[in-house]
Amino acid sequence: MTNANELSGRARKLWQDLNECEALSGLVQAQPDEWRRACEVSDFLIETACRYPESVVTLAEAGLLQADLDLEERLPQWQAEARTYSKEADLARWLRQLRRREQFRLIWRDLVLRVGYETTVSELSAVADALIQLALDWHYQMLAEQYGVPRNAEGEEQSLIVLGMGKLGARELNVSSDIDLIFTFPENGETDGRRCVDNQTFFVRLGQKLIQALDAVTADGFVFRVDMRLRPFGSSGPLALSFRALEDYYADHGRDWERYAMIKARPVAGDLVAARSLMETLSRWIYRRYTDFGVIDSLRSMKAMIQREVQRKGMAQNIKLGAGGIRELEFIVQAFQLVRGGKEPALRKRSLLAVLDALPELELLPVQAAAELRQSYLFLRNLEHALQGMADRQTQTMPGDEAEMQRLATALQLESAQALDAELKRHRAMVSHHFEQVIAERRPQERESPQARAWEPLWRGEGQPEEWHERLSALGVAEPEKLVERLTLLRESRRFQQLQASGRERLDHFMPVLIHEIVSRNIDDTAVGRLLDLVEAVMRRSAYLVLLLENPAALQELLRLFQESSWVATEIARAPLLLDEFLNAENLYTPPQREALEDELRQMLLRIPDEDLEAQMEALRYFKKAHVLRVAASDIRGTLALMKVSDYLTFIAESLISAVVDLAWNDLERRHGSPRSSDEAVTERDFAVIGYGKLGGIELSYGSDLDLVFLHGAATDQSTTGPKSIDNAVFFARLGQKIIHLLTARMASGDVYEVDMRLRPSGNSGLMVSSMAAFERYQREQAWTWEHQALVRARCVAGTQRMTEAFDRARQELLCAPRDTAKLLEDVLSMRQKMRDSLATKPGADGALPYFDLKQDPGGIVDIEFMVQYMAIRWAGTHPEVIRWSDNIRILEALEAAGCLAKTDRANLCEFYRRYRAAGHRLALQNLPARTDPDGFAEERAWVC
């Protein structure tokens, strides 16, 4: 713009007013283009400048219109000035003047200088925090002079804590926003003054004073409109509550919309340190540990209510509440937060854009969708600022006047009102599309098929049982009486009777769908029992039922696996969190490779604070259960061969052991420093976990425990480097104990693994962690032959390269040492006979064996393992390559290659060993012991014997 004639009609009038103000002439002449733009986009800027020119000149001359907010410099100045006021009216006048100056500065920078959305909202929110704190501090001091300082039972001073909700809490405040607040304080007690009052009375009065200081409209305007309706019990609730009362309210009465609101809650004033414990407690209520699909229905209900209000009040042009507006976009993002925030710490952020950026990384939203939503959000929020900045008025409704539309287009750097209208329609359509994809599906009851609804009377117990028996039988149900009986028992169970209305409603929607699937798929009674056991287990956490209703494909996969495996059914009933794995069938049937497993676990633990041990332990347990479930699903479907099943189960164990070692080491290192070596230098992390048995042999099954031995390579006569130094030996002993605790501690979700440490030197009487030198010395001088047999199947599963190489070298030297082969044979046979005597199946009264134990009975797995171990030790001295590997199959192949075993014998041993293990896997998936009928595997057993 080069002259005033190019300005629009309204802007021309403002330009004229501006030029008539002599106090501003110097500013206008120095920056004519900026002032012309201000005339185009904001009445508020020009009217404020003309009414308070000295204030605007001061801002400009101090460079504050150009510079970002430096609150560290300005807040102390504001605090010092606030303390100069002794009267409430004087403070109120100063706060309003301060707000007006800051409002001018912020709107100028946003609409004239176009500093960007994120700068504007963060500075607006920072100013709001500061003004709230200034008013709070001043009134606290005044009330404390009247009543004394509020204290708890121990005499500790108490402070009012102000929680900012909504856009203030998220640091996303818009240029003419009200602020939603909740007042709370740590503990009950009373003030210590002569006019003593209880803490709640004191803080209620302080809250009232704070609201008046901010909200009351005077000749100087107001600071912020304050809305307190989000507090417990709304407008009828107490103005301030203690932490305990607040926590109890949300635990007992909190509703889904309050969880939605609390996502953005942030302590903005008061004792922010004391507020941390409150926010940690509330976070556990906001974000459920399980995937909470139940919240989607609540969001739909909230949206429907808003839509009805929009229609009733004719607010279709409202860019916040109307279709495709800001609120729909917020619903999309916050739905992911409420549904998955309990499992994904990256979603527990207040900033919408921060969460939106995390969604593609977590593979919850396509990259393109997230990019489109980000673009639309920034457009809508900038448009909102332009609307409100025109007159410093709280509005989100688009004007019907074309001239006003043109002003908005100019503010957003668009060519015309028509271009603005087209761009707005594009963004609203984009938001509506994604909203439909994420939230606005039909409700479960609307999606239920007529066939499913036909089973509602059966679930409700209507009609005669005999009629249902006949109808079910006609449809091919093999045991209709049992199905009807099971449904009746579930419906009459105490858990069902105690359900809240919402839980019962969800169950009433789910059960007809489940019955329809049971009948149409002809699911047998055993699998029906498993399914109904799961329903009973999750009945009080009905969000799991919503998950299955919202995701029919997940229900189909669940039914498939429940029919095939009792083990899967038991695991999911014990840990319903695993239902989340059914949401992605591709992942369910594709276990990740070792590197991907390690990376996933590392990323999972990185998102948990170092000090949150409980969350770390729960993450370890979920990781194990989820990935073992994936292996089982692939095993059942037949997409994984036997050897691959054991490989993957072993990869999972190794990933977990490595992670646990890191957690335990880092915890001890923070407290005690690092172990020193003999030359006083800090050692590398000289620690190794040795896996024996099935873990060492890469042959883990579903219920396998872990045989472990811990070794270290540090000096035993040195201590750690930290201020709380301890002997190296004590450090490693505590490290071993910590590892065992992390793996075996029983939590609500169970343990990670059972751990057996009896193979360490000297067994249960030996040290928890041995030095490498002591381990070698024991193996050379004291170990029994059976301990060397165990060493055949041992390998390092976690540790440094140096320790791994040291163990491999020691193992080779020990197993390749010269031996008396006759004595070796005698020892191996003697140990095998002892095991048979104590562990093999005993004949019944009729002299016949009741079953064949795949592992312990003659001709079974242990016989093959003992043969492999004997041959490996027998030939290792002359053929060291036979002990290169620790798994039976590759040892047998190496023995054949070395000429120590005939090809036919190797082939039979490998084949029979695989058959036994395959049968054991299948039995494990049915929660059955590794036993077959007494005549099972007769040919294999005879040959092995």
Side-chain angles (χ1 to χ4, degrees):
M1 296 177 188
T2 58
N3 58 67
N5 291 330
E6 294 183 12
L7 295 170
S8 64
R10 176 64 182 158
R12 197 177 303 119
K13 172 65 170 63
L14 294 172
W15 178 259
Q16 182 179 343
D17 294 342
L18 190 64
N19 281 278
E20 289 175 358
C21 182
E22 293 183 7
L24 295 172
S25 59
L27 282 182
V28 175
Q29 290 172 12
Q31 299 170 323
D33 289 342
E34 290 183 2
W35 282 99
R36 288 192 186 97
R37 178 169 175 79
C39 291
E40 281 284 14
V41 298
S42 175
D43 292 10
F44 165 77
L45 290 174
I46 305 306
E47 289 170 358
T48 300
C50 293
R51 189 174 178 186
Y52 306 101
E54 297 82 3
S55 178
V56 173
V57 169
T58 300
L59 282 171
E61 290 179 346
L64 297 178
L65 293 179
Q66 306 295 326
D68 290 346
L69 175 66
D70 186 352
L71 204 56
E72 287 187 9
E73 177 185 343
R74 299 182 67 192
L75 184 57
Q77 299 171 1
W78 293 347
Q79 290 170 331
E81 187 169 354
R83 287 193 289 269
T84 65
Y85 299 107
S86 58
K87 294 182 180 179
E88 199 170 327
D90 293 338
L91 176 78
R93 183 180 307 108
W94 174 72
L95 286 172
R96 282 150 181 77
Q97 292 168 351
L98 180 56
R99 183 264 182 185
R100 184 175 60 245
R101 288 198 301 272
E102 287 304 307
Q103 189 75 347
F104 182 92
R105 186 186 72 83
L106 289 160
I107 293 178
W108 177 275
R109 285 167 53 76
D110 185 71
L111 298 185
V112 176
L113 302 185
R114 299 192 58 78
V115 295
Y117 161 78
E118 293 184 73
T119 298
T120 297
V121 296
S122 64
E123 291 195 5
L124 277 163
S125 303
V127 168
D129 290 358
L131 294 177
I132 294 168
Q133 187 69 61
L134 290 168
L136 179 66
D137 290 345
W138 194 93
H139 284 286
Y140 178 89
Q141 190 61 39
M142 292 298 105
L143 284 176
E145 290 175 7
Q146 294 181 53
Y147 301 109
V149 173
R151 301 187 183 277
N152 63 7
E154 286 73 39
E156 297 166 330
E157 183 175 353
Q158 302 293 287
S159 167
L160 184 70
I161 291 155
V162 181
L163 298 183
M165 310 293 286
K167 288 186 170 60
L168 173 60
R171 292 188 172 93
E172 297 169 342
L173 209 60
N174 56 46
V175 297
S176 187
S177 178
D178 59 3
I179 54 176
D180 296 285
L181 305 178
I182 292 177
F183 298 151
T184 182
F185 57 93
E187 295 182 60
N188 287 315
E190 58 185 23
T191 62
D192 61 6
R194 287 184 297 175
R195 295 177 61 191
C196 173
V197 295
D198 64 80
N199 285 357
Q200 184 167 30
T201 299
F202 180 93
F203 288 122
V204 166
R205 291 178 184 177
L206 178 57
Q208 291 168 339
K209 289 289 187 182
L210 178 59
I211 293 169
Q212 186 175 9
L214 298 173
D215 187 84
V217 179
T218 71
D220 296 288
F222 60 90
V223 184
F224 289 105
R225 292 173 290 270
V226 177
D227 191 335
M228 299 295 298
R229 290 175 296 176
L230 290 179
R231 70 184 188 270
F233 301 109
S235 299
S236 61
L239 197 61
L241 287 172
S242 68
F243 284 6
R244 173 63 62 83
L246 199 68
E247 292 163 7
D248 288 347
Y249 168 82
Y250 288 119
D252 297 337
H253 306 287
R255 291 156 289 181
D256 282 336
W257 70 262
E258 288 175 298
R259 284 178 60 204
Y260 174 86
M262 290 299 294
I263 284 176
K264 293 184 178 293
R266 175 176 64 89
V268 298
D271 188 345
L272 304 186
V273 174
R276 287 178 189 164
S277 65
L278 172 69
M279 299 314 297
E280 288 173 6
T281 301
L282 293 181
S283 180
R284 289 192 288 272
W285 172 73
I286 298 165
Y287 299 108
R288 307 293 164 82
R289 286 178 55 242
Y290 48 84
T291 303
D292 189 5
F293 274 90
V295 78
I296 291 182
D297 254 357
S298 298
L299 291 174
R300 288 181 185 137
S301 298
M302 289 170 62
K303 177 57 183 172
M305 181 177 66
I306 292 169
Q307 286 175 331
R308 289 193 295 271
E309 190 72 1
V310 167
Q311 291 168 1
R312 187 175 68 83
K313 295 184 177 180
M315 299 165 64
Q317 293 303 305
N318 188 298
I319 63 168
K320 177 180 179 180
L321 302 178
I326 295 169
R327 181 57 53 82
E328 275 192 8
L329 207 155
E330 291 172 338
F331 275 9
I332 293 169
V333 174
Q334 289 169 330
F336 285 109
Q337 290 183 274
L338 288 175
V339 170
R340 295 183 179 273
K343 295 178 64 177
E344 298 291 352
L347 300 181
R348 299 174 208 164
K349 298 175 182 176
R350 300 180 181 96
S351 164
L352 184 142
L353 289 178
V355 177
L356 192 56
D357 289 343
L359 292 175
E361 296 174 13
L362 297 170
E363 298 182 353
L364 297 176
L365 201 64
V367 173
Q368 180 64 27
E372 290 173 354
L373 288 170
R374 168 180 266 274
Q375 183 186 41
S376 295
Y377 185 71
L378 291 174
F379 174 84
L380 291 168
R381 290 302 308 274
N382 282 325
L383 177 56
E384 180 183 40
H385 286 172
L387 269 169
Q388 296 180 347
M390 280 200 293
D392 188 20
R393 187 165 59 92
Q394 188 183 26
T395 180
Q396 283 97 9
T397 301
M398 294 296 290
D401 180 81
E402 186 168 351
E404 294 295 284
M405 285 286 288
Q406 182 59 54
R407 296 185 75 193
L408 288 174
T410 301
L412 270 65
Q413 295 186 310
L414 294 170
E415 292 181 1
S416 64
Q418 292 74 22
L420 170 60
D421 185 59
E423 190 70 358
L424 176 57
K425 286 177 178 175
R426 184 176 74 85
H427 284 291
R428 291 181 71 165
M430 195 182 298
V431 172
S432 287
H433 167 73
H434 291 301
F435 182 80
E436 293 289 331
Q437 295 296 310
V438 175
I439 294 178
E441 301 173 9
R442 290 175 294 163
R443 293 173 178 271
Q445 60 265 39
E446 295 168 350
R447 195 169 55 243
E448 293 162 13
S449 66
Q451 296 92 333
R453 287 198 295 272
W455 296 107
E456 289 177 359
L458 172 57
W459 166 241
R460 291 195 297 264
E462 298 172 1
Q464 294 301 313
E466 294 76 13
E467 296 174 359
W468 289 113
H469 297 164
E470 184 177 341
R471 180 175 172 185
L472 290 166
S473 181
L475 291 171
V477 176
E479 299 177 280
E481 298 85 356
K482 287 187 176 180
L483 175 57
V484 174
E485 182 182 0
R486 285 184 181 279
L487 293 170
T488 303
L489 288 173
L490 180 63
R491 192 175 58 252
E492 294 177 352
S493 67
R494 177 177 296 181
R495 285 191 179 184
F496 179 78
Q497 300 303 323
Q498 294 175 344
L499 279 181
Q500 295 181 348
S502 59
R504 185 172 295 194
E505 181 182 0
R506 288 173 177 175
L507 190 62
D508 287 343
H509 292 316
F510 177 74
M511 288 306 298
V513 174
L514 181 61
I515 296 169
H516 171 65
E517 293 293 339
I518 288 171
V519 174
S520 61
R521 296 167 70 101
N522 200 15
I523 296 176
D524 63 65
D525 181 66
T526 302
V528 169
R530 297 168 187 165
L531 288 164
L532 297 186
D533 285 345
L534 173 65
V535 171
E536 188 166 9
V538 304
M539 200 180 289
R540 291 181 182 173
R541 292 170 287 176
S542 55
Y544 291 123
L545 303 179
V546 179
L547 181 153
L548 295 172
L549 280 173
E550 294 280 349
N551 298 274
L555 178 58
Q556 298 298 320
E557 298 303 330
L558 180 78
L559 293 169
R560 181 204 303 268
L561 292 182
F562 269 50
Q563 284 178 277
E564 297 289 339
S565 172
S566 173
W567 180 87
V568 168
T570 301
E571 287 296 298
I572 293 174
R574 286 175 180 169
L577 280 168
L578 294 173
L579 287 171
D580 192 38
E581 298 301 314
F582 288 85
L583 297 177
N584 188 328
E586 183 179 351
N587 285 344
L588 181 63
Y589 295 108
T590 312
Q593 296 288 340
R594 186 203 304 263
E595 295 76 13
L597 276 169
E598 292 173 349
D599 184 63
E600 181 183 333
L601 183 54
R602 181 171 54 253
Q603 295 297 329
M604 182 184 292
L605 292 171
L606 280 174
R607 295 195 290 265
I608 301 173
D610 289 341
E611 65 276 7
D612 195 345
L613 178 63
E614 181 180 353
Q616 291 169 341
M617 292 174 72
E618 289 289 359
L620 294 170
R621 282 149 181 77
Y622 180 82
F623 178 88
K624 189 257 180 132
K625 289 178 179 294
H627 284 288
V628 173
L629 174 64
R630 290 191 191 182
V631 174
S634 302
D635 191 0
I636 291 166
R637 179 175 273 193
T639 57
L640 275 186
L642 166 70
M643 303 299 287
K644 288 295 183 181
V645 169
S646 289
D647 285 352
Y648 278 109
L649 292 174
T650 305
F651 297 161
I652 293 166
E654 290 174 0
S655 300
L656 284 159
I657 292 169
S658 294
V660 164
V661 170
D662 286 343
L663 290 174
W665 184 284
N666 293 338
D667 178 61
L668 285 168
E669 194 173 50
R670 279 193 296 270
R671 287 187 279 155
H672 303 296
S674 302
R676 292 188 182 91
S677 65
S678 55
D679 60 0
E680 292 291 317
V682 176
T683 66
E684 185 187 10
R685 188 180 292 189
D686 276 349
F687 181 75
V689 179
I690 310 304
Y692 279 75
K694 288 184 177 179
L695 174 62
I698 318 175
E699 294 169 355
L700 284 181
S701 186
Y702 295 105
S704 297
D705 58 5
L706 304 182
D707 294 294
L708 303 179
V709 168
F710 300 147
L711 302 176
H712 74 83
T716 55
D717 60 345
Q718 295 293 326
S719 57
T720 61
T721 59
K724 294 183 178 179
S725 179
I726 56 176
D727 290 344
N728 282 358
V730 176
F731 179 95
F732 285 109
R734 292 183 181 176
L735 178 66
Q737 292 166 348
K738 184 81 171 179
I739 292 169
I740 298 297
H741 173 71
L742 290 171
L743 289 171
T744 64
R746 299 293 297 181
M747 303 182 69
S749 54
D751 58 14
V752 185
Y753 290 100
E754 292 183 16
V755 173
D756 191 335
M757 297 289 295
R758 289 176 295 179
L759 288 173
R760 68 185 187 269
S762 301
N764 287 337
S765 62
L767 294 174
M768 178 70 73
V769 185
S770 300
S771 70
M772 180 61 75
F775 173 79
E776 291 185 65
R777 186 166 56 250
Y778 173 85
Q779 290 287 345
R780 278 196 309 269
E781 300 173 3
Q782 296 176 260
W784 297 79
T785 299
W786 66 264
E787 290 178 281
H788 286 175
Q789 287 180 246
L791 199 58
V792 170
R793 305 241 293 160
R795 64 190 177 90
C796 185
V797 296
T800 60
Q801 183 68 25
R802 196 174 81 82
M803 286 295 289
T804 300
E805 291 173 356
F807 173 77
D808 289 345
R809 186 167 54 249
R811 174 177 176 269
Q812 177 155 342
E813 290 174 0
L814 289 163
L815 293 178
C816 292
R819 293 181 185 273
D820 181 338
T821 55
K823 179 69 165 57
L824 172 66
L825 180 60
E826 179 185 347
D827 289 347
V828 172
L829 288 173
S830 174
M831 176 54 67
R832 181 66 190 113
Q833 190 58 50
K834 287 180 182 178
M835 292 179 66
R836 284 184 176 181
D837 292 343
S838 61
L839 300 173
T841 305
K842 304 298 187 291
D846 58 358
L849 292 175
Y851 49 78
F852 168 56
D853 187 303
L854 289 167
K855 182 176 180 181
Q856 297 293 350
D857 282 350
I861 289 174
V862 175
D863 275 2
I864 296 177
E865 291 176 340
F866 266 59
M867 283 190 277
V868 171
Q869 291 158 16
Y870 165 74
M871 288 187 284
I873 298 173
R874 166 70 178 80
W875 296 108
T878 53
H879 300 283
E881 66 271 19
V882 303
I883 58 159
R884 179 184 177 190
W885 306 108
S886 59
D887 59 287
N888 289 309
I889 298 297
R890 284 189 289 188
I891 292 174
L892 286 167
E893 290 171 347
L895 286 165
E896 181 199 345
C900 305
L901 183 65
K903 180 177 181 180
T904 303
D905 291 343
R906 189 275 307 161
N908 282 344
L909 286 169
C910 287
E911 177 60 24
F912 297 165
Y913 189 66
R914 288 191 183 102
R915 290 180 191 177
Y916 287 150
R917 286 183 55 210
H921 277 306
R922 289 193 297 272
L923 290 164
L925 286 172
Q926 298 305 328
N927 275 333
L928 295 172
R931 300 169 180 170
T932 67
D933 65 78
D935 298 323
F937 295 98
E939 180 183 344
E940 293 88 344
R941 291 156 62 185
W943 190 92
V944 170
C945 287

